């Protein structure tokens, strides 16, 4: 597990149910995760920690991951650690640059919508992980899709109704 925030530690502890051991490689000398998550992680015998380390490389044999390489930020030494899986949780960046000109993004690039998935631009909706929200999961994305679909349908229907009314006059 690479990272020391909430996601890295929560997922790391979860993975101990399947893995023999989980090593957290973190660039600082303490975790950023909330206190309760740290407590759970430190109480778990399967959790190991490598502090002050820069994650450098994932190595494999062509079919599978075999090890990872990291460097010690204090000594500058390189280390290799056998590993069968790597999970990187060092922050996420939404791919929303294309929408920057619409004025619908917050300071971190997430799309701002109301609870009906409408952005501030009429007819433009946003759903899923790109939205500014607390929980990024399949269940939330799917629910939002339903709302946006319904909203888009109504929006187009309203336009058609306006066209009809204009033609009738
Ligand atoms: C490691 C990991 C584990 C997860 N585990 C779970 C889990 O157990 N349960 C759960 O519910 N959720 C889980 N999630 C979260 C879940 O995957 C997301 O919440 C969900 O996929 C969001 O759906 P989405 O459609 O918004 O985005 P995505 O699934 O990311 O889909 C976006 C799609 O848009 C495409 N795209 C991007 N830019 C462009 C472009 N310019 N033009 C065309 N296409 C583009 C991408 O290639 C991608 O296919 C996990 C996420 C990660 C990273």
């Amino acid at each position: 597990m690479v990272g020391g925030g909430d996601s890295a530690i929560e997922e790391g502890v979860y993975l101990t149910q399947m893995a023999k051991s989980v090593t957290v490689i973190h660039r600082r000398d303490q975790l950023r995760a909330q206190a309760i998550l740290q407590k759970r992680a430190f109480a778990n015998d399967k959790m190991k920690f490598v502090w002050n380390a820069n994650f450098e490389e994932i190595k494999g044999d062509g079919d599978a991951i075999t090890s990872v390489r990291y460097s010690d930020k204090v000594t500058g030494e390189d280390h290799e650690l056998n590993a069968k899986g790597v999970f990187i949780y060092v922050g996420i960046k939404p791919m929303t640059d294309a929408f920057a000109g619409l004025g619908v993004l917050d300071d971190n690039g997430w799309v701002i919508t109301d609870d009906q998935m409408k952005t501030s631009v009429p007819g433009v909706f946003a759903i899923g992980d790109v939205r500014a929200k607390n929980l990024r999961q399949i269940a939330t994305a799917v629910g939002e899709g339903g709302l946006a679909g319904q909203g888009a349908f109504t929006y187009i229907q309203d336009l058609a109704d306006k066209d009809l009314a204009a033609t009738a006059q």
Side-chain angles (χ1 to χ4, degrees):
M1 191 62 64
V2 185
D6 286 352
S7 299
I9 302 311
E10 191 163 18
E11 294 288 326
V13 171
Y14 175 74
L15 281 176
T16 59
Q17 294 174 50
M18 281 77 82
K20 276 189 205 154
S21 78
V22 173
T23 302
V24 175
I25 296 178
H26 187 39
R27 61 187 172 151
R28 297 202 174 90
D29 60 1
Q30 55 185 346
L31 300 177
R32 251 187 319 112
Q34 52 181 293
I36 181 65
L37 294 176
Q38 295 200 28
K39 232 177 188 173
R40 281 182 210 149
F42 293 136
N44 189 319
D45 289 343
K46 288 187 176 178
M47 294 288 288
K48 294 172 184 159
F49 299 87
V50 174
W51 305 108
N52 296 312
N54 280 329
F55 185 75
E56 305 282 0
E57 187 182 0
I58 300 173
K59 293 188 174 185
D61 60 9
D63 291 324
I65 292 170
T66 53
S67 66
V68 296
R69 184 170 65 82
Y70 64 88
S71 61
D72 188 311
K73 282 172 72 180
V74 180
T75 65
E77 283 172 9
D78 255 12
H79 296 275
E80 204 162 319
L81 181 75
N82 289 338
K84 286 190 175 163
V86 182
F87 296 81
I88 298 177
Y89 280 97
V90 291
I92 43 175
K93 186 179 177 298
M95 292 167 66
T96 52
D97 292 353
F99 305 97
L102 288 181
V104 296
L105 307 182
D106 71 11
D107 290 346
N108 295 314
W110 305 107
V111 184
I112 301 167
T113 73
D114 64 11
D115 60 6
Q116 298 303 304
M117 309 306 126
K118 289 178 188 166
T119 67
S120 56
V121 179
V124 177
F125 297 76
I127 64 161
D129 281 10
V130 291
R131 272 189 71 225
K133 61 177 179 179
N134 290 329
L135 186 63
R136 294 194 171 82
Q137 288 213 322
I138 293 165
T140 54
V142 170
E144 292 160 15
L147 284 166
Q150 173 68 25
F153 176 76
T154 308
Y155 175 77
I156 291 167
Q157 209 171 33
D158 286 350
L159 288 182
D161 287 349
K162 276 182 197 150
D163 272 355
L164 264 184
T167 321
Q169 280 169 5

